[in-house]
Amino acid sequence: MEDTEPRSTEPKDTEPGNTEPKTDPAAADGAQPPPGPKKKRLRRTRRITLAVLLVLLLPLLTAETALRINYMGDPADGTYTRNRDAMWLGHAWVDGRKTDADLTALARELRTTGIRDLYVHTGPMEHDGTLPKSLYPEAGWLVDAVHRELPGVRVQAFLGDVLATESPDGMRLEQAATRAAVVDSARQVLDVGYDGVHLDLEPLHSGDRNYLSLLDDVRAVTRARDAQLSVAAHQIDPLPGFHSFWGTVAGHPKWWSQEFFGQVARRVDQIAVMSYDTMQPLESLYGGYVAQQTSLALEVTPPTTHLLMGLPFYHENRFGHWNHAETVAAAVRGVRLGLSRTDADRERFGVAAYIDFAATEEDWAAYRDGWVR
């Protein structure tokens, strides 16, 4: 076979009888030999990895910087409670675990606040929308006791369930029979004496027309009874279309579009933003985030609807919620900043504390010092 390999015309590195390579003139001058193929591939891989990290981190760093800037400045004078605040209460208030002594203590705590609505956990509803009466045997006692001890404070039935939007199990709002059962559950709790119905259905994806239809039907019932319809609302897109992006990446579109938030707000008497579990690692970033959420919500909530921003009266450390960052003090300052910049004179506005059984004296103090005054 013909030899197709090119013959070398370069001098040999070694001479007969001498196995030591000759000194490379470039090496003798201190220069490094050119990198081999493996080193070139390694360098290329490092450059590509760095470029990808920059592409991913730069928008995040930009957004976090914007939140920090959003937390700067001083809130406007007068941006304090309008005596339209609310609080979520646990199920123990209606299942028999709480007593008259507990109610007396709660009343003593609330008298020095701006809280005028209590969202009392009365569910959860079944996945078919029904509500077992056995879940709230002491609801009548609670409503009467609150009306007696705290005149002017409303008690609303907090009804919730998991939606089958991200798993096969849960409530299916696309079924007309399920929505009709939820409406019947609303009638059921109003018959007990509740002053309103508070719906918390999660995870609720932005743009859900079945949810809007449900709100229309429930509000027809509450209006006929001169009762309130309130909802717990998801946070608003921090960037336009972010709910779609996050849904694609994480499979959980946590946020609502601002447009959808406005559609919900126009159908209810009260809308309470769950402005916690924000994934923010620092108190200043969390406060800036709450300021942004407050502004976004104010922009699309009609003045006839009562807007409330959630305060984290609970203490956990897990993905999405850092106890050292999501403080009541930071949330209150963020609320005041957002209110100051967007609609400082909004009358139907307040904060909502989540939740009574996890609240500490520090939480109450931060709420009073920063918001009640």
Side-chain angles (χ1 to χ4, degrees), residues 42-315:
L42 182 59
R43 288 180 181 177
R44 189 180 302 114
T45 301
R46 287 174 177 171
R47 291 192 189 102
I48 293 173
T49 302
L50 180 60
V52 171
L53 288 175
L54 287 175
V55 168
L56 294 175
L57 291 177
L58 188 58
L60 177 61
L61 293 174
T62 301
E64 295 294 76
T65 300
L67 293 181
R68 181 63 185 87
I69 294 172
N70 210 33
Y71 195 57
M72 299 171 66
D74 296 320
D77 292 338
T79 51
Y80 304 116
T81 185
R82 278 83 165 121
N83 291 316
R84 292 179 178 271
D85 303 331
M87 186 171 205
W88 282 277
L89 300 186
H91 198 82
W93 289 99
V94 295
D95 67 5
R97 284 177 284 170
K98 294 293 186 178
T99 66
D100 288 333
D102 295 312
L103 193 283
T104 299
L106 178 66
R108 187 184 310 114
E109 192 83 75
L110 296 182
R111 286 192 188 101
T112 56
T113 72
I115 294 174
R116 296 296 179 270
D117 282 281
L118 300 176
Y119 305 140
V120 185
H121 191 271
T122 308
M125 292 179 286
E126 299 293 322
H127 292 340
D128 63 2
T130 59
L131 179 67
K133 292 183 179 180
S134 59
L135 291 177
Y136 53 94
E138 298 301 323
W141 162 79
L142 176 66
V143 173
D144 291 342
V146 170
H147 289 170
R148 181 182 67 252
E149 297 290 334
L150 294 165
V153 173
R154 292 177 294 207
V155 187
Q156 301 190 41
F158 168 9
L159 303 180
D161 193 24
V162 175
L163 296 179
T165 50
E166 298 174 14
S167 70
D169 297 322
M171 182 181 289
R172 297 184 179 275
L173 292 181
E174 67 272 17
Q175 297 178 353
T178 298
R179 297 197 303 274
V182 174
V183 175
D184 286 340
S185 294
R187 291 193 185 95
Q188 185 176 313
V189 294
L190 293 177
D191 287 343
V192 174
Y194 278 108
D195 301 303
V197 176
H198 179 78
L199 293 178
D200 178 18
L201 303 175
E202 303 179 49
L204 180 63
H205 293 180
S206 184
D208 192 324
R209 304 301 304 180
N210 295 310
Y211 180 65
L212 298 180
S213 176
L214 173 64
L215 294 181
D216 290 337
D217 294 341
V218 175
R219 197 175 194 189
V221 172
T222 55
R223 277 183 167 174
R225 304 286 192 94
D226 194 25
Q228 296 287 298
L229 172 58
S230 59
V231 295
H234 288 29
Q235 297 157 29
I236 301 174
D237 278 339
L239 297 171
F242 197 69
H243 68 283
S244 297
F245 166 76
W246 194 256
T248 301
V249 172
H252 171 53
K254 174 183 175 70
W255 294 269
W256 287 353
S257 71
Q258 192 181 36
E259 178 185 10
F260 183 67
F261 187 96
Q263 292 171 344
V264 173
R266 290 192 293 274
R267 286 171 164 81
V268 299
D269 299 298
Q270 299 177 339
I271 184 166
V273 185
M274 295 180 285
S275 42
Y276 34 75
D277 293 347
T278 64
M279 297 184 287
Q280 296 305 318
L282 300 174
E283 199 172 18
S284 59
L285 299 180
Y286 172 61
Y289 183 90
V290 172
Q292 182 201 43
Q293 288 292 307
T294 302
S295 292
L296 291 172
L298 283 166
E299 288 171 358
V300 293
T301 301
T304 53
T305 298
H306 181 184
L307 172 64
L308 300 111
M309 302 303 298
L311 304 181
F313 273 49
Y314 65 100
H315 304 272

